[in-house]
Amino acid sequence: MSERVEAWIAPAGKAREKRARSAAVKIRAALADIATGWLVPVAAIAVWQLAGTLGWISSEFLPTPAAIATAFADLAANGGLLHHMGDSIRRAAIGFAFGGGLGLALGLLTGLFRRAEYLLDPSAQMLRLVPHLAIAPLIILWFGFGEISKVVIIAAGSFFPLYVNTFLGIRQVDNKLFEVSRTLSFSRFKRISRLILPAASPQILLGLRTSLAVSWIGLVVAELIGSTSGIGFLINEAKQNGQPEVIFVGILIFAIVGKLLDSAVKAIERRTLSWQDGYKG
């Protein structure tokens, strides 16, 4: 009896060891990739600090990383940084929810129904070609310098990437899938949920990443034009007070938060599109 138990336990133990080794290899590979990605930024910061310390670069023109880190610590200590960052993230989230949500809905509508495309897509494409900055003064004229104008500016920028990519993703679905759905007698709802949306999801997720990036850029435009709080306001105030290190703090925050948002969507892409067999390089 004990021999049978041992014979059953041994393969299970080996399988666990194999899974553990595989997980360890994946973790090491991920850490190596992260370390590789940090090589260029760390080297650039080291050269930058050295040039500033030796006086090769004026601190008024380009403050050293140490001065920027000190300004960051001071803003974080007095609570101003958290306050401004919270206002910026809230505005970006509300604007993206409206603009991106509307873009996704309209992209689904025009992608799935040809009559809706003929009715709505020409107007949407014409508006898409209007520069983002060109409509900002008009939005402020309509809504003033309050929160509504900022949200509208962000929503206007985040609408088009998600709309266009959703529309294109649906229209690029292989027609053979529709033949399969007819053979299997799928209903319209099942055809959309089981075939069209999964096939279009790579393009839709690309639109989501682009839309998030544009909404974050739109936030900068909205807060620089007129605001009393937010990272854009912090940068504008630092410009007026001649504090380049605070300007760099604001730029750094925009870059870090933007990268975190992009990485979050990229992680969703990896999990959602694990069925794709793409070139890894």
Side-chain angles (χ1 to χ4, degrees):
M1 185 70 178
S2 61
E3 292 179 357
R4 290 182 180 178
V5 173
E6 289 177 1
W8 178 78
I9 291 175
K14 290 180 180 179
R16 282 196 298 271
E17 290 178 6
K18 188 176 181 180
R19 287 196 296 270
R21 283 197 299 271
S22 177
V25 169
K26 289 181 180 178
I27 291 172
R28 283 197 296 270
L31 291 175
D33 290 341
I34 293 171
T36 302
W38 275 99
L39 284 177
V40 173
V42 169
I45 289 171
V47 173
W48 180 2
Q49 180 65 43
L50 179 63
T53 303
L54 296 176
W56 296 346
I57 302 174
S58 171
S59 60
E60 295 180 359
F61 173 72
L62 191 65
T64 63
I68 296 170
T70 301
F72 185 95
D74 291 341
L75 286 168
N78 62 30
L81 187 63
L82 191 62
H83 166 69
H84 289 299
M85 191 161 61
D87 284 350
S88 292
I89 292 174
R90 175 178 53 79
R91 288 171 186 145
I94 296 172
F96 173 76
F98 280 105
L102 186 59
L104 177 63
L106 198 64
L108 291 171
L109 183 64
T110 54
L112 294 171
F113 304 103
R114 192 165 293 277
R115 288 184 179 178
E117 177 193 357
Y118 293 153
L119 178 65
L120 300 172
D121 187 64
S123 301
Q125 295 297 342
M126 182 175 64
L127 291 173
R128 182 175 68 88
L129 298 175
V130 177
H132 197 185
L133 287 173
I135 63 171
L138 185 60
I139 292 173
I140 291 175
L141 181 65
W142 286 344
F143 300 102
F145 285 97
E147 290 297 308
I148 295 178
S149 63
K150 298 174 183 59
V151 170
V152 172
I153 289 172
I154 296 166
S158 62
F159 169 82
F160 293 104
L162 201 44
Y163 165 73
V164 171
N165 281 279
T166 302
F167 173 78
L168 290 177
I170 292 173
R171 289 304 172 90
Q172 290 173 358
V173 173
D174 194 339
N175 197 49
K176 292 179 181 178
L177 293 177
F178 293 93
E179 296 175 5
V180 171
S181 69
R182 284 192 290 269
T183 302
L184 297 175
S185 301
F186 276 11
S187 64
R188 175 178 285 274
F189 175 77
K190 188 177 287 188
R191 186 184 304 168
I192 293 172
S193 60
R194 298 283 185 87
L195 294 177
I196 298 176
L197 290 182
S201 58
Q203 194 79 21
I204 294 174
L205 287 170
L206 174 62
L208 178 64
R209 287 180 68 182
T210 309
S211 186
L212 275 171
V214 173
S215 66
W216 197 239
I217 294 169
L219 172 69
V220 181
V221 175
E223 291 185 342
L224 285 176
I225 289 176
S227 181
T228 57
S229 65
I231 302 302
F233 166 76
L234 189 69
I235 292 174
N236 203 29
E237 188 181 46
K239 179 197 70 174
Q240 295 172 357
N241 295 334
Q243 298 174 303
E245 64 279 1
V246 178
I247 294 176
F248 273 95
V249 169
I251 293 171
L252 186 64
I253 290 171
F254 275 127
I256 292 173
V257 175
K259 175 58 180 172
L260 289 175
L261 289 172
D262 186 71
S263 298
V265 179
K266 200 171 181 180
I268 295 172
E269 279 184 343
R270 281 197 298 267
R271 182 176 293 273
T272 306
L273 306 179
S274 57
W275 51 271
Q276 281 192 320
D277 187 17
Y279 176 64
K280 300 295 190 295

